[in-house]
């Protein structure tokens, strides 16, 4: 089973069938109002798509970066010597890395590309290896998400067996298939439960600014017919105080080896409310999102600051036209941090492709013992 | 000193000078884009203004309700016997009370009116007593807010004496003069500090839905030249984790005798973050906002549910036109709770017109010993 749009299987990123030198993506800026496919033909196209958030979500950013390396190789002058080509690719890597600071997957995607560059003996071989590397990472992330669903569904099943009524799950931002290649991270257990006919209902935080909850998660769940209700980001605490949330599942843009979870701004506030009301709070993420180099998320994860205009203005549909409107007094200064960090003490568990880990160094290393050498 | 609009003293509600049978209000639905004054001539006008939020904010709702009783009296048939008139006024009281459930001040405003009705020996005397009652409540709330400022400024001064740098205050929603008659509750200490030349900076939560922070608080502070930065409701936790907030001050729509604070939805999440980061969290409110009858806010305060359209749609300025745009997929179900309750254990103190109380039964009764008889 794959995620669907209007009943047809759909991924977020793929090579154009008739021309595999073009990468195609869903341009998510127009959702839920318009379904737009964008063709990325150059490294620059790819960097713009990442930076200006035509696509977003940690796993997808990683895969897009790997395809960005492939596009950079395609764009390299044919006559280049191997060492010149290698330099070209190093520069491309730096350009890609500078697009967004928080998601660690960006680095993973670029590193996969650089590893291919190192192994290749020529530009031509390099291009084909870079394509394989990107395709490989995409497939790996699809499989990671599928397994996150398999492991995570156990949490929902357990609640259902006890409650015998609809399981209410709150999620923040979009950690759905639109944030990945297929399936999603936070949504994978939800889709898995839904497919198993466990009654689920999702509280969708609208997720200001950029409203990825209202525009992407609500759309995804709607396409798949999963019952859901949209709420403002302010509502979660009240819902939890009144027993209307059984479980919180979110994604992550970077998670430290100690289990501190960086995710879309506002996640930390939901974690606190879950903690205060004794509600389990899970982060679902592929291991490509774990930064094994760092421990203290609040102090070590760089938090992206974006344009204040994303706060003072908002985009929506007026009639048939997508329109931007001003929300604040003209000239109001706004500050726009993209992410926050939830300290691991507020995280009940981390759902990965290998199972559910406690949000501790020990818990994560138990599932990923090969990472011990990194420390 | 009074609050200003374009340098001119302005209140939120007043009797028309040339025709004191008309109540005038700022129609806040058009701010910050347009400054519109609305004339309320009947009880129905007043009920609509409260229900559809042409005006809002607990103290202002209370005063508007008192003026609503006055308008109801003006609209009563002249030939009515005293007992018929009294019945008419009882009915008006019920109509007013049904407009919004959460703010306790609504009941206070209506009760002041009913007390005047009881004392009056004729319709004519009643009308004049109802006008006096409404005017009196308005003046009382102005004085309450002024005193809240006087008491609350000590908190800001103390932080400043220690820090010797700009004091950063976070506020949620609009508990400014637009929520009252003049001065504001949460903003009163801020305006008092600003007027005393203590360097202050306000983090303004945009406050979804309806965006009273972005559209009202930012506008108020801008008119008074108080430095401020707009943030999304999700940002407060991150700001607090990084030492960017010295103090949180919010208003309240109803506070229990134990100090549980109902306020605009999302307040509870900010209180949790303040608590987690050791940052003082204050609620500023006139004693007319305290409901001495109840103790457990989470279980006893009725929380208003409003139309889902306030979540799925948003209003802003496009060119020179105020426009509403759709944010979610067409037909998305949304839930819209207006308030949440912050349990008193997360409230550092309650700033009232008589001083700062601890958020406990004992603390509040110490300042308002006359309320002991109610228990």
């Amino acid at each position: 089973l794959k995620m669907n749009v209007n009943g047809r299987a759909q991924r977020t990123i793929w090579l154009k069938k008739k021309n595999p030198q073009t990468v195609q993506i869903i341009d998510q800026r127009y959702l839920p109002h318009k379904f737009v496919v964008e063709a990325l033909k150059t490294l620059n196209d790819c960097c713009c798509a990442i930076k200006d958030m035509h696509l977003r979500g940690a796993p997808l950013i990683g895969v897009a970066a790997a395809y960005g390396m492939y596009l950079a190789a395609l764009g390299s002058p044919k006559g280049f010597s191997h060492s010149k080509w290698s330099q070209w690719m190093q520069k491309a890597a730096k350009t890609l890395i500078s697009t967004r600071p928080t998601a660690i997957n960006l680095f993973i995607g670029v590193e996969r590309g650089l590893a291919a560059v190192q192994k290749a003996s020529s530009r031509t071989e390099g291009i084909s290896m870079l394509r394989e590397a990107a395709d490989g990472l995409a497939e790996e992330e699809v499989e990671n998400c599928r397994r996150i669903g398999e492991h995570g569904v156990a949490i929902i099943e357990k609640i259902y067996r006890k409650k015998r009524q609809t399981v209410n799950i709150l999620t923040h931002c979009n950690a759905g298939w639109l944030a990945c290649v297929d399936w999603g991270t936070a949504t994978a257990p939800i889709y898995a439960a839904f497919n198993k006919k466990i009654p689920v209902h999702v509280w969708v935080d609208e997720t200001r600014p950029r409203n990825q909850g209202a525009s992407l998660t609500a759309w995804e769940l709607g396409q798949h017919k999963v019952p859901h209700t949209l709420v403002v980001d302010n509502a979660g605490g009240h819902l939890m105080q009144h027993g209307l949330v059984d479980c919180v599942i979110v994604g992550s843009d970077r998670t430290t080896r100690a289990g501190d979870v960086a995710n879309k701004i506002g996640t930390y506030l939901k974690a606190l409310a879950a903690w205060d009301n004794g509600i389990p709070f899970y982060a679902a993420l592929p291991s490509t999102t774990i930064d094994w180099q760092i421990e203290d998320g609040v102090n070590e994860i760089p938090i992206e600051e974006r344009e204040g205009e994303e706060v003072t203005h908002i985009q929506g549909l007026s009639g048939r036209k997508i329109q931007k409107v001003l929300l604040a007094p003209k000239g109001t200064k706004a500050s726009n941090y993209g992410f926050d960090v939830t300290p691991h003490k507020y995280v009940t568990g981390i759902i990965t492709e290998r199972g559910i880990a406690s949000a501790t160094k020990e818990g994560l290393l138990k599932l990923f013992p090969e990472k011990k050498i990194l420390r």
Side-chain angles (χ1 to χ4, degrees), chain A residues 23 59 73 89 95-96 125 130 135 175 178 220 248 257 260 328 346:
Chain A
V23 177
M89 292 306 298
T95 309
L96 276 163
E125 194 194 16
L130 280 159
D135 286 348
L178 287 170
E220 263 197 52
V248 181
R257 65 166 180 261
D260 290 349
Y346 298 120

Side-chain angles (χ1 to χ4, degrees), chain A residues 296-312:
Chain A
D296 175 353
V298 174
N299 289 305
E300 294 183 82
I301 297 177
I303 300 296
E304 179 176 6
E305 284 192 65
R306 299 183 61 85
E307 289 297 316
E309 205 190 296
E310 292 184 355
V311 177
T312 54

Side-chain angles (χ1 to χ4, degrees), chain A residues 4-152:
Chain A
N4 293 328
V5 175
N6 296 323
R8 288 184 57 186
Q10 180 70 52
R11 285 186 171 186
T12 53
I13 190 165
W14 64 95
L15 289 179
K16 195 170 178 177
K17 262 209 173 143
K18 289 180 184 164
N19 174 13
Q21 304 207 329
T22 295
V23 177
Q24 291 191 295
I25 63 164
I26 303 173
D27 188 342
Q28 304 185 18
R29 292 173 303 167
Y30 302 102
L31 285 174
H33 311 301
K34 282 182 193 165
F35 185 82
V36 175
V37 171
E38 184 186 5
L40 309 179
K41 298 184 176 182
T42 64
L43 170 66
N44 188 50
D45 287 351
C46 185
C47 289
C48 282
I50 297 173
K51 203 181 171 84
D52 299 341
M53 296 178 66
H54 309 188
L55 56 81
R56 20 65 55 205
L60 178 53
I61 287 172
V63 173
Y67 280 116
M69 290 294 282
Y70 166 61
L71 290 174
L74 285 173
S76 61
K78 280 187 183 157
F80 261 4
S81 67
H82 188 260
S83 84
K84 275 232 167 179
W85 181 72
S86 178
Q87 278 171 31
W88 173 278
M89 292 306 298
Q90 295 285 343
K91 208 181 143 197
K94 275 191 193 153
T95 309
L96 276 163
I97 281 171
S98 70
T99 51
R100 296 194 70 191
T102 302
I104 187 76
N105 305 58
L106 178 69
F107 302 88
I108 304 273
V110 169
E111 273 164 19
R112 294 281 177 101
L114 285 177
V117 168
Q118 282 228 308
K119 274 188 230 154
S121 57
S122 69
R123 176 184 171 277
T124 313
E125 194 194 16
I127 289 173
S128 118
M129 286 174 77
L130 280 159
R131 177 178 163 176
E132 274 166 38
D135 286 348
L137 184 58
E139 292 306 327
E140 196 178 314
E141 291 295 26
V142 172
E143 181 60 11
N144 283 341
C145 286
R146 198 188 59 76
R147 290 200 186 164
I148 286 170
E150 252 174 36
H151 294 298

Side-chain angles (χ1 to χ4, degrees), chain A residues 170-204:
Chain A
L170 184 137
T171 192
H172 190 66
C173 198
N174 174 264
W177 68 268
L178 287 170
C180 306
V181 178
D182 213 338
W183 287 108
T185 53
T187 56
I190 297 169
Y191 289 126
F194 180 79
N195 292 346
K196 277 185 151 183
K197 312 243 184 280
I198 299 170
V200 288
H201 166 260
V202 184
W203 293 108
V204 177

